[in-house]
């Protein structure tokens, strides 16, 4: 937790945690929450207070099973800027620690705190380039950890910060001039996330694909890269890394760039299914019907099938239930089922589905007999999955050239599809 301006009270973040505790899926929580105090309330013991009716905003992202939250006042004019900054904070922490979780943040708390001080100035983004940050604040090392364990003091607070000079970076601020590797390699990952809504008859009502071109560069010297993607896919709302020569991309549709050292996002894009829908790698069929002779019990059948084109990993199904349901039991052909009455939902962890295979679930849900009959509600199924070596848009790398260097690097490329907001409507039969 870090405060800059001091004009937002802690109660705003507490209200966020209350809102996050009642949703069964973090994706269901709105990224921007507004809170308006009912009256003038004191901020602290000094007697400072916020004016009646002044609104505060809580913005958050959910990554690595953690919430990253930022609060601001009613002067908020660009919420996308705050959300993009939070994503960038997570990427910076990945670059520094190799992983982002609760343990890593606690272990490197001093480094995280100093990174936030460098990245923000009075609450405004200042330095966000990872190479510049590593020059100003070196990542933790084994030597620093040993020194800290012996002396009991953090070496980050005592080590003088090196001066950031342009001599080591030349005319390209995102790359050093003295980068050397014994084994040169570059990896291109195409990651696509799909948001889809499917009705009871299997018709796609809404579909949107968000994609990223991720690059991990381990190349010596100052390579110049030319990357050509297949041009049979219409991409919308493209966002390019500053290293990309935008004029050439507009003219030829080619990604030409000198890459930063390490991992970075080369391009973000959105692909809308305007001409033809994208082929989903999964099919979900759900049906809910009342138990014969009862008014407070319903039976439902659910099947999840992988297409013949993709293998699905980390398959998980969330089933929202009415709030008056207090019993839910089922049998599954594979995986594990759990009922969560406090969150009004049931979850089914399927696991891995091979190409063309399927998993089934049958069960009942019921309310107490003394309560009123269960209303006829057909829940909307929420699906999570990961499909390696699969692309919704069939986007692929056509050509990858390494110029200005004599070595022949290893080139690795792969595609991955993951679920975004995937919902399937269930049917009912009386």
């Amino acid at each position: 937790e870090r405060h800059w301006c001091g004009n937002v009270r802690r109660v705003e973040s507490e209200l966020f945690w209350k809102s996050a505790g009642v949703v069964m899926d973090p994706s269901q929580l709105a990224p921007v929450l507004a809170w308006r105090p009912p009256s003038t309330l004191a901020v602290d013991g000094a007697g400072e207070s916020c004016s009646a009716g002044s609104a505060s905003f809580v913005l958050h992202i959910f990554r690595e099973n953690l919430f990253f939250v930022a609060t601001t006042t009613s002067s908020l004019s660009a919420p996308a800027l705050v959300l993009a900054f939070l994503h960038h904070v997570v990427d910076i922490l990945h670059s520094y620690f190799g992983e982002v979780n609760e343990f890593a943040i606690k272990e490197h708390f001093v480094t995280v705190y100093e990174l936030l001080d460098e990245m923000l100035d009075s609450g405004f983004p200042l330095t966000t380039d990872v190479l510049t940050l590593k020059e100003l604040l070196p990542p933790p090392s084994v030597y620093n950890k040993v020194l800290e364990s012996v002396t009991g003091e953090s070496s980050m607070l005592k080590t003088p910060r090196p001066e950031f000079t342009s001599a080591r970076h030349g005319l390209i601020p995102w790359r050093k001039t003295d980068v050397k590797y014994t084994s040169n390699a570059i990896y291109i990952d195409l990651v696509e996330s799909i948001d889809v809504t499917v009705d009871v008859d299997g018709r796609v009502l809404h579909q949107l694909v968000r994609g990223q071109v991720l690059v991990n560069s381990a190349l010596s010297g100052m390579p110049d890269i030319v990357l050509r993607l297949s041009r049979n896919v219409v991409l919308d709302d493209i966002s390019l890394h500053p290293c990309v020569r935008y004029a050439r991309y507009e003219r030829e549709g080619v990604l030409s760039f000198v890459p930063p050292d390490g991992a970075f996002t080369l391009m973000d894009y959105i692909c809308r299914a305007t001409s033809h829908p994208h082929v989903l790698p999964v099919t979900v069929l759900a049906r809910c019907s009342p138990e014969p002779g009862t008014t407070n019990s319903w039976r439902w059948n659910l099947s999840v099938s992988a297409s013949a084109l993709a293998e699905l990993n980390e398959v998980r199904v969330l089933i929202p239930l009415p709030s008056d349901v207090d019993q839910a039991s089922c049998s599954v052909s594979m995986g594990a089922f759990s009922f969560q009455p406090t969150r009004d939902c049931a979850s089914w962890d399927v696991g891995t589905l091979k190409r063309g295979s399927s998993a089934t679930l049958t069960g009942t849900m019921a309310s107490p007999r003394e309560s009123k009959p269960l209303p006829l509600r057909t829940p909307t199924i929420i699906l999570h999955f990961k499909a390696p070596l699969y692309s919704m848009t069939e986007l692929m790398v056509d050509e990858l050239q390494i110029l200005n260097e004599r070595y022949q690097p290893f080139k690795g490329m792969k595609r991955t599809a993951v679920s975004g907001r995937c919902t399937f409507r269930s049917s009912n039969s009386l």
Side-chain angles (χ1 to χ4, degrees), residues 100-353:
V100 179
N101 51 44
E102 184 179 358
F103 176 77
I105 293 177
K106 289 182 178 179
E107 183 182 12
H108 305 288
F109 172 75
V110 175
T111 305
V112 173
Y113 209 80
E114 290 202 352
L115 277 173
L116 293 176
D117 273 339
E118 294 292 344
M119 297 177 69
L120 289 173
D121 181 18
S122 299
F124 294 92
L126 178 63
T127 304
T128 57
D129 180 67
V130 63
L131 187 59
T132 305
L133 288 171
K134 287 185 177 180
E135 286 287 325
L136 298 173
L137 190 66
S141 62
V142 177
Y143 170 78
N144 291 337
K145 292 182 179 179
V146 174
L147 184 62
E148 183 176 349
S149 63
V150 173
T151 63
E153 297 181 0
S154 175
S155 59
M156 301 297 296
L157 301 177
K158 303 174 65 176
T159 304
R161 297 182 179 181
E163 295 183 358
F164 182 81
T165 60
S166 59
R168 296 187 60 192
H169 298 268
L171 299 177
I172 301 178
W174 56 81
R175 185 177 180 87
K176 299 178 182 179
T177 58
D178 56 352
V179 178
K180 293 182 180 179
Y181 289 94
T182 56
S183 178
N184 295 279
I186 183 171
Y187 302 91
I188 309 293
D189 292 344
L190 303 181
V191 181
E192 293 182 342
S193 172
I194 185 168
D195 298 340
V196 64
T197 301
V198 181
D199 68 2
V200 295
D201 297 323
R203 293 191 300 265
V204 176
L205 305 179
H206 166 73
Q207 196 173 62
L208 182 69
V209 176
R210 295 181 175 90
Q212 287 183 315
V213 180
L214 306 178
V215 180
N216 192 349
S217 172
L219 301 174
S220 304
M222 194 65 67
D224 199 328
I225 298 179
V226 177
L227 176 64
R228 299 179 185 272
L229 301 175
S230 56
R231 304 195 64 178
N232 57 344
V233 179
V234 178
L235 303 180
D236 307 306
D237 300 335
I238 296 174
S239 175
L240 300 174
H241 190 276
C243 68
V244 178
R245 300 180 178 94
Y246 184 74
R248 183 174 180 183
Y249 177 78
E250 283 288 295
R251 184 176 63 253
E252 304 177 20
V254 174
L255 296 171
S256 175
F257 58 97
V258 176
D261 186 37
F264 65 99
T265 302
L266 181 65
M267 182 175 70
D268 293 275
Y269 62 88
I270 290 178
C271 187
R272 297 180 174 86
T274 54
S275 58
H276 61 280
H278 308 302
V279 180
L280 292 175
V282 61
T283 302
V284 176
L285 297 177
R287 183 170 60 88
C288 183
S289 59
E291 286 278 27
T294 64
T295 60
N296 67 333
S297 179
W298 287 81
R299 182 172 184 83
W300 32 280
N301 299 274
L302 177 64
S303 67
V304 181
S305 304
S307 70
L309 303 176
E311 176 181 305
L312 302 182
N313 298 332
E314 304 175 15
V315 180
R316 185 168 182 259
V317 180
L318 291 178
I319 309 171
L321 299 176
S323 59
D324 47 1
V325 172
D326 67 342
Q327 298 177 13
S329 61
C330 77
S331 60
V332 296
S333 61
M334 61 184 301
F337 172 85
S338 64
F339 173 52
Q340 303 174 17
T342 58
R343 291 180 174 267
D344 297 330
C345 74
S347 64
W348 176 24
D349 292 320
V350 180
T352 300
L353 284 177

Side-chain angles (χ1 to χ4, degrees), residues 312-428:
L312 302 182
N313 298 332
E314 304 175 15
V315 180
R316 185 168 182 259
V317 180
L318 291 178
I319 309 171
L321 299 176
S323 59
D324 47 1
V325 172
D326 67 342
Q327 298 177 13
S329 61
C330 77
S331 60
V332 296
S333 61
M334 61 184 301
F337 172 85
S338 64
F339 173 52
Q340 303 174 17
T342 58
R343 291 180 174 267
D344 297 330
C345 74
S347 64
W348 176 24
D349 292 320
V350 180
T352 300
L353 284 177
K354 300 295 183 181
R355 296 172 184 260
S357 63
S358 62
T360 58
L361 177 149
T362 58
T364 59
M365 62 179 181
S367 64
R369 293 187 178 277
E370 61 270 13
S371 66
K372 61 182 179 180
L374 279 176
L376 178 59
R377 297 175 183 173
T378 55
T380 298
I381 307 301
I382 303 173
L383 180 68
H384 299 276
F385 65 88
K386 181 178 181 180
L389 306 180
Y390 186 82
S391 173
M392 304 286 185
T393 62
E394 299 182 355
L395 184 69
M396 63 182 61
V397 176
D398 284 346
E399 183 181 8
L400 178 62
Q401 295 181 342
I402 311 295
L403 308 177
N404 295 342
E405 298 294 342
R406 295 183 178 180
Y407 53 77
Q408 295 295 326
F410 173 80
K411 304 175 183 178
M413 288 162 279
K414 69 176 182 179
R415 301 185 296 178
T416 305
V418 298
S419 60
R421 176 69 176 176
C422 294
T423 59
F424 297 81
R425 297 177 180 176
S426 57
S427 62
N428 64 79

